[in-house]
C-alpha cells in the first residue's frame, strides 16, 4: 500500500506532520487535525504559533530530557497544556542534567563503542530500551492516557521528531489499527523531511574537529532506518504477542480505551 505522508509547512517547524488521513481499522482513516508529531518547538514565530492555535492544539507533550529542554526551550502559548514526559534517549541511563548535549555525545561515543560496537546497534537497543524498560514505560503509560482523555488536538515532539516521537506514533497508530506497513511509511517519512537539515549536519561532520568514532555515532543518530523501529516492534511482539497486547499488559490500556481512541480519532 502506497501512503504519501505530508509534512506540515510552517516557519521554524521541522519534521512536523498530522497523522490525519492514514488508513486505519475497519476501512476508516485517522481524523485530520487531532494527532500531530514534530521536532522541537523552539523559537517559533508568531505566525507558526497562530497556526498551531488555529489547529486547536491544546496539549503539547515534550519527550526530551532536561538538558535538551534547557538548551532549546519550547515556544508555548497561553492556555496550552505543556506536559514533560522524558524518554531517555540512551540505551542505558547515564545522562545527567548538568552536562551539555555536546559533552554528553562525546562521553556516550566512548561507551557505545565498547558496549554496542556500532551506532546502528546502539540505536536498535535504544528503541527497544524505551519500550521495554520500566522508567520510560511509566511515561508511555501517562502519554497514552493523555491521548485517550484529550479532547483537543495533541502534539508530541522530541528534538528531531524521528526517534522518540516515532516510537510514540507507532503505539498510537497500532492501537488505531494502522498496518505495520503504514506505520513504517510514517516513520521513514522523517528521512525525507529532515534531508536538508541532516545533509548540512553531515557535511559539517566531515570538517568537525572530533574523533571518527564520534562522527560515526552522530551520523547513526541522524539515520532513519526501518530496522531501528522494526527490531523494537519485533522484540515487543516476541514478548507480548502484539503491540496491542503490550499496551494492555504494560501500559494499562483497556478494550474500552481502544474503543474510545477509535471513536475519537477515526473517521
Amino acid at each position: 500500500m502506497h501512503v504519501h505522508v505530508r509534512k506540515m509547512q510552517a516557519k521554524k517547524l521541522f519534521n512536523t506532520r498530522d497523522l490525519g488521513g492514514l488508513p486505519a481499522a475497519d476501512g476508516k482513516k485517522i481524523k485530520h487535525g487531532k494527532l500531530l508529531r514534530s521536532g522541537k518547538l523552539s523559537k517559533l514565530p508568531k505566525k507558526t504559533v497562530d497556526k498551531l492555535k488555529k489547529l486547536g492544539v491544546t496539549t503539547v507533550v515534550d519527550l526530551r530530557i532536561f538538558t535538551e529542554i534547557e538548551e532549546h526551550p519550547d515556544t508555548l502559548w497561553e492556555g496550552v497544556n505543556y506536559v514533560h514526559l522524558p524518554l531517555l534517549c540512551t540505551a542505558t541511563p547515564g545522562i545527567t542534567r548538568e552536562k551539555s548535549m555536546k559533552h554528553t555525545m562525546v562521553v556516550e561515543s566512548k561507551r557505545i563503542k565498547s558496549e554496542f560496537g556500532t551506532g546502528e546497534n546502539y540505536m536498535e537497543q535504544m528503541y527497544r530500551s524505551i519500550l521495554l524498560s520500566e522508567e520510560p514505560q511509566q511515561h508511555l503509560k501517562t502519554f497514552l492516557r493523555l491521548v485517550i482523555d484529550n479532547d483537543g488536538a495533541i502534539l508530541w515532539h522530541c528534538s528531531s521528531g524521528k526517534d522518540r516521537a516515532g516510537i510514540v506514533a507507532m503505539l498510537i497508530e497500532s492501537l488505531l489499527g494502522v498496518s505495520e506497513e503504514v506505520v513504517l511509511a510514517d516513520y521513514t517519512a522523517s528521512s525525507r523531511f529532515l534531508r536538508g537539515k541532516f545533509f548540512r549536519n553531515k557535511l559539517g561532520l566531515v570538517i568537525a574537529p572530533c574523533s571518527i568514532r564520534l562522527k560515526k555515532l552522530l551520523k547513526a543518530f541522524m539515520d532513519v532506518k526501518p530496522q531501528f523501529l522494526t527490531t523494537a516492534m519485533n522484540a515487543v511482539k516476541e514478548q507480548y504477542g502484539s503491540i496491542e497486547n503490550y499496551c494492555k499488559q504494560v501500559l494499562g490500556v483497556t478494550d474500552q480505551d481502544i474503543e474510545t481512541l477509535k471513536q475519537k480519532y477515526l473517521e
Side-chain angles (χ1 to χ4, degrees):
M1 179 190 296
H2 177 73
V3 176
H4 185 68
V5 181
R6 288 200 179 100
K7 181 175 180 283
M8 184 184 293
Q9 300 294 338
K11 195 169 183 182
K12 286 286 187 177
L13 276 186
F14 65 95
N15 202 15
T16 305
R17 74 202 79 160
D18 181 348
L19 300 189
L22 292 183
D26 306 320
K28 295 181 178 180
K29 291 185 176 182
I30 297 178
K31 288 179 182 177
H32 285 278
K34 286 290 186 181
L35 299 169
L36 290 82
R37 52 176 289 190
S38 181
K40 62 179 179 282
L41 306 181
S42 61
K43 297 181 179 175
L44 299 186
K46 184 178 182 299
K47 275 190 177 180
T48 300
V49 171
D50 287 345
K51 181 168 186 170
L52 293 174
K53 286 165 73 174
K54 191 174 180 182
L55 275 170
V57 175
T58 55
T59 301
V60 166
V61 181
D62 194 339
L63 304 172
R64 299 174 299 163
I65 62 172
F66 286 112
T67 310
E68 294 170 286
I69 292 170
E70 286 166 359
E71 292 183 2
H72 301 282
D74 275 359
T75 303
L76 299 170
W77 53 96
E78 192 177 345
V80 73
N81 178 31
Y82 173 81
V83 183
H84 180 215
L85 297 174
L87 295 182
L88 193 59
C89 201
T90 180
T92 55
I95 295 178
T96 67
R97 183 169 180 161
E98 291 75 26
K99 294 174 183 174
S100 71
M101 288 309 293
K102 184 178 178 181
H103 180 260
T104 295
M105 289 300 98
V106 172
V107 173
E108 283 291 277
S109 70
K110 295 173 184 174
R111 183 179 67 79
I112 287 162
K113 175 66 177 173
S114 62
E115 288 187 30
F116 303 99
T118 67
E120 285 76 16
N121 289 344
Y122 171 78
M123 292 298 285
E124 289 180 22
Q125 177 57 31
M126 184 265 285
Y127 276 52
R128 287 196 296 269
S129 175
I130 285 174
L131 289 167
L132 296 173
S133 299
E134 192 173 330
E135 187 177 340
Q137 283 173 351
Q138 293 307 309
H139 292 319
L140 292 173
K141 187 174 185 177
T142 302
F143 177 83
L144 287 180
R145 185 54 49 194
L146 278 172
V147 177
I148 292 162
D149 295 340
N150 192 57
D151 287 325
I154 187 166
L155 182 152
W156 63 92
H157 75 91
C158 50
S159 281
S160 65
K162 67 183 184 72
D163 301 312
R164 291 162 287 183
I167 289 170
V168 165
M170 176 275 290
L171 292 176
I172 296 172
E173 289 162 1
S174 298
L175 289 173
L176 291 174
V178 174
S179 70
E180 189 169 321
E181 183 185 358
V182 174
V183 168
L184 287 173
D186 175 46
Y187 172 73
T188 55
S190 290
S191 184
R192 280 189 291 121
F193 299 161
L194 293 167
R195 188 175 293 140
K197 176 183 171 63
F198 283 168
F199 178 73
R200 291 188 297 275
N201 289 349
K202 285 175 184 178
L203 278 181
L205 276 182
V206 174
I207 59 170
C210 58
S211 68
I212 296 294
R213 178 184 62 218
L214 180 56
K215 289 180 182 184
K216 284 183 177 178
L217 171 62
L218 293 174
K219 184 184 177 298
F221 278 4
M222 289 182 236
D223 287 337
V224 184
K225 294 187 174 180
Q227 75 205 47
F228 296 164
L229 189 61
T230 54
T231 300
M233 291 174 73
N234 288 339
V236 167
K237 287 188 280 188
E238 192 176 315
Q239 200 164 332
Y240 297 97
S242 68
I243 302 298
E244 184 176 307
N245 283 346
Y246 160 80
C247 290
K248 287 178 178 177
Q249 292 176 39
V250 177
L251 305 182
V253 175
T254 66
D255 287 328
Q256 181 55 54
D257 290 333
I258 295 171
E259 190 57 37
T260 298
L261 282 169
K262 289 177 178 176
Q263 287 174 4
K264 230 173 221 189
Y265 298 108
L266 296 185
E267 58 185 8

